Every structure is written in C-alpha cells, then in structure tokens.
Amino acid sequence: MEQDQNLVLKKSRKRKMSEENHEIFGFSLGELNQDLLERVLSWLPTSTFFRLRSVCKRWTSVASSATFQIACSEIPRRDPWFFMVDPHIDQSIVFDTSEMNWKNLNYPTLLQQNPNSKSIPVASAGGLICYRTVSGDFIVSNPVTGVCRELPSAACQSQTLHAIAMHSSSSSKENPSSYKLVLVSGEFPYLSIRVYDSSKNQWEDEFALSRKTGNLPESEPSGDETVYFLSKAGDVVATNMERSPSKQYSSVITVQNGEEVIYFLSYSGTVVACNLTQRCFSEYPRLLPVFFEYSIDLVECRGDTFVVVLSEFLESASLRVWKFFEGERSWQQIAAMPLAMSHEFYGKKADINCVGCGDLMLICVNSGDFSSYVLCNLAVNEWVELPKCCVSGKAKEFMSAFSFEPRVEACV
C-alpha cells in the first residue's frame, strides 16, 4: 500500500514538473520573430530545407529569404554529401552522411540545356561542383539549389592538362564566399598554372612553375619506359594513367602555412606537389616499384593530403592509406582497411577512386564485374561498406564521387 502511494506521489510530482516546464519553456516556433526563426531553422540538416516550402506561408518566405542564407552561412560546418558519378550521367545522386542514406537531386537546368550534353564533374569545393564540357569550358553548380553558371572561357589549352582543382574560401556576412579553379598543364618538367578567381570573375595570367631545388625524380619518364597500372575496366594497361573520365584530372588542393599546394598523379604514378605561392613543384618518391600492379588515388582529409593504394600481395588484397612526411622525406602508413574487407577485392583487378571531407573518406572500388563503396572515418579508423543505391529496382554502379558541404547559400 505504501509503495502504491509513493508511486502515485512520484507520478504526480513528474506531472507537476512537466506542467511547470511547459509554462516556462513551452512555445511554438510561430511565436518567434522572423530573425530568430531563420536562425533556428538554419541549424536544421540541409535535407529538411527541401520541405520548408510545404509547411506554411511563413516558412516558404524563409526559404527564399536573403537573411536566411546569411544565417546558414554562419553555420561553421555541415556533414558532407558525396556527389556520385556513374558512366551515364542522367541524374544527380548523393549520399547524405548525416542520415546515411541516398538522395536524388534535380539535375541542373543549364547542364540539361547545354548543347555539350556530356558535361562531367571534375572538381568540388565548399558547396559547389565544377563540370567540364566536351569543348573544355567549365560550369559551376550548387547541387542543392540547382543554380549554376558557365565560367568565362579560358585561353585555348594547347598543352596537356594534368589537373583540375577547386578551392573555396570561408564565407561570412562581411566576406561573401568565393572560389578558385586551378588548372595545371604542360609537359614535364615544364608545368604552368592558370587560375580562375570567382571574386574577380576572370582568369588570371598563366604562370610557369620551376622544379624545386634539390628535388630530382628517381627517373625521368620516357617514351620507352613501360609503367603498369590498373584501368577502370580492371585491365592491366601501360604508359598512361587513364582513370574514369571524371577522375582523369584527379587532384587535391590544400593550404599549408598560408601557401596553396595542389597535388596530382603524374602519368607514371608519382605524386606531384605544386606550390602556387612559391611557383615551384616537386615529385615525391615512388610508393611502389614501377612494375608493381596497383591502383592509386589522392584524397584530402582534415587539410592533409593522403594517398590510397589498392594492391595484391601473397594471395590477398590490401587497401592502405599513406601520408608523405616532408621532414623524413618518406611515406608512412596512416590506416589500412581490415583484411576481412579488402580480401574481397583479390583477383578483381579493381580500380579505386577516392574523395574526402573532414575525417571521412569515400572509396569507390570498381572492376568489369564488381562495384563497392566504402566509407572510412580516419579519426577512429572505422570502415563501413555502404548499401547499394537502387534506382527502379536496379543497383547503380558509380565510378567515382565528389564531396561537398550541402549549403543553400553557396554562390556560383
């Protein structure tokens, strides 16, 4: 009996506390002024922004408000989305890391109307994706809003194009976001840089890079040297580091001690680092022997550049993440996929295409009859295979991906 009375008292006390809390904290979002409402809504996951217009008239006005976009720009970080690329680009599919699911986005109208319909994504930064048309022009798009525009035409590229990288500056009310598109071209050792600056809406003058003093390659690539690697189709091919079309100019850009550095893979598979501030470049020592079969890609995570290598050894496959330390002039292993997962790639002759954002790294593994997508969290060394993305009941096979922060305020 006493226990029953205590239970009643506890329930009564909880009910009373709940009522008091409701009187103190209970309010509806409709009671907030417009500025505070916009600030509250700006903290919602980006996927919810698509539904703002269907709630009420007031929230519809928020979705198109300039001050709401400013509030969104003040959110320091959003969980990345990965923009997926398949051989037949007819729609935009992304993987949302905050909800760990696949989403379909509207394909940018300008890309649908563009006569060069085979535009492919080649770089990303901040909340933007950059496409390259078959004529060599560039289109920048915000995948979330679908807004895009074509950049002014660059000067005719008569030299070989090695890398396309994109860098985005931080945004604030006083300093609107801007971005740079960097092109690296030329024939080794004569490389040159061309930069597009969105804040000026123009291409800057092209400038040449010199080889860093004291940095000489192990061997200068020649027409007679045969270099083996794995193509996207899983075949062992030679001489040219051909990749999936969207990753043909695979490169990353970082800012180190205030200096912009762009990294890309040379035709022979070495990592080339171009310091845009000092206007020089250097080549890192080779990770694996020239005649060793492997697949390799560059990835940027946490402001650092890493190299991901898929190779086979002793009847098993290994996928490892490496970082080059300038002081020791040597490569050191940072992480490795568990053998129970990487062994699945053995004998598949697969190609890897990687992309990173923050602590996360997405690896697309493909061969002629095999496709897999793995998400790695470098901070905790956690590896997770993503579920298949099914469209019309059929699993999609993506060749590569680009990372971006889903931001409605990102300007093209």
Side-chain angles (χ1 to χ4, degrees), residues 103-173:
K103 289 181 170 58
N104 290 317
L105 302 180
N106 293 328
Y107 201 65
T109 304
L110 180 59
L111 295 177
Q112 293 176 354
Q113 299 173 346
N114 194 289
N116 301 316
S117 57
K118 292 185 178 180
S119 301
I120 59 173
V122 290
S124 64
L128 304 175
I129 300 287
C130 179
Y131 296 80
R132 186 170 188 256
T133 68
V134 293
S135 61
D137 293 324
F138 296 96
I139 296 174
V140 175
S141 170
N142 181 330
V144 178
T145 62
V147 175
C148 55
R149 75 182 180 97
E150 190 169 1
L151 303 187
S153 180
C156 180
Q157 292 276 337
S158 57
Q159 295 180 314
T160 303
L161 184 61
H162 295 284
I164 302 173
M166 197 174 182
H167 175 63
S168 178
S169 66
S170 58
S171 62
S172 65
K173 187 175 182 179

Side-chain angles (χ1 to χ4, degrees), residues 38-317:
E38 291 177 354
R39 290 180 177 274
V40 171
L41 295 180
S42 68
W43 283 92
L44 294 175
T46 304
S47 59
T48 63
F49 295 167
F50 299 116
R51 300 188 289 271
L52 288 182
R53 299 179 186 277
S54 62
V55 176
C56 62
K57 290 183 178 180
R58 189 183 181 194
W59 284 33
T60 298
S61 66
V62 168
S64 56
S65 168
T67 52
F68 173 65
Q69 293 197 359
I70 293 175
C72 289
S73 69
E74 294 173 349
I75 305 301
R77 179 182 177 277
R78 295 196 185 276
D79 291 331
W81 285 8
F82 292 107
F83 185 92
M84 310 303 295
V85 180
D86 63 33
H88 307 286
I89 305 172
D90 54 2
Q91 58 185 313
S92 298
I93 298 177
V94 299
F95 184 81
D96 181 351
T97 61
S98 63
E99 299 182 354
M100 294 298 286
N101 60 19
W102 300 97
K103 289 181 170 58
N104 290 317
L105 302 180
N106 293 328
Y107 201 65
T109 304
L110 180 59
L111 295 177
Q112 293 176 354
Q113 299 173 346
N114 194 289
N116 301 316
S117 57
K118 292 185 178 180
S119 301
I120 59 173
V122 290
S124 64
L128 304 175
I129 300 287
C130 179
Y131 296 80
R132 186 170 188 256
T133 68
V134 293
S135 61
D137 293 324
F138 296 96
I139 296 174
V140 175
S141 170
N142 181 330
V144 178
T145 62
V147 175
C148 55
R149 75 182 180 97
E150 190 169 1
L151 303 187
S153 180
C156 180
Q157 292 276 337
S158 57
Q159 295 180 314
T160 303
L161 184 61
H162 295 284
I164 302 173
M166 197 174 182
H167 175 63
S168 178
S169 66
S170 58
S171 62
S172 65
K173 187 175 182 179
E174 295 77 18
N175 179 32
S177 62
S178 62
Y179 59 88
K180 292 181 179 180
L181 189 66
V182 184
L183 311 181
V184 182
S185 59
E187 300 296 337
F188 279 99
Y190 307 106
L191 299 178
S192 60
I193 298 291
R194 193 81 191 275
V195 179
Y196 170 80
D197 189 339
S198 70
S199 63
K200 302 174 182 177
N201 189 30
Q202 66 181 21
W203 291 91
E204 299 176 353
D205 292 336
E206 186 175 14
F207 61 87
L209 297 176
S210 60
R211 190 189 295 277
K212 190 174 181 180
T213 305
N215 179 262
L216 294 176
E218 297 172 350
S219 61
E220 196 72 41
S222 66
D224 296 328
E225 181 182 12
T226 302
V227 179
Y228 294 92
F229 64 96
L230 300 180
S231 74
K232 64 179 183 295
D235 299 320
V236 179
V237 290
T239 304
N240 191 356
M241 285 287 292
E242 290 185 5
R243 307 184 62 80
S244 62
S246 62
K247 299 290 280 189
Q248 181 179 353
Y249 310 106
S250 179
S251 56
V252 298
I253 188 168
T254 62
V255 178
Q256 303 173 357
N257 301 320
E259 299 180 346
E260 294 180 341
V261 182
I262 181 172
Y263 302 83
F264 68 92
L265 296 171
S266 71
Y267 285 166
S268 62
T270 59
V271 176
V272 181
C274 302
N275 189 309
L276 305 188
T277 306
Q278 297 184 11
R279 298 193 173 186
C280 64
F281 76 93
S282 60
E283 293 176 77
Y284 289 169
R286 190 182 298 278
L287 252 173
L288 294 174
V290 173
F291 298 102
F292 198 87
E293 296 178 12
Y294 62 93
S295 181
I296 184 173
D297 200 10
L298 295 171
V299 65
E300 181 274 328
C301 290
R302 306 176 299 204
D304 289 323
T305 299
F306 300 94
V307 170
V308 185
V309 177
L310 173 62
S311 60
E312 295 185 3
F313 185 68
L314 295 178
E315 298 186 354
S316 185

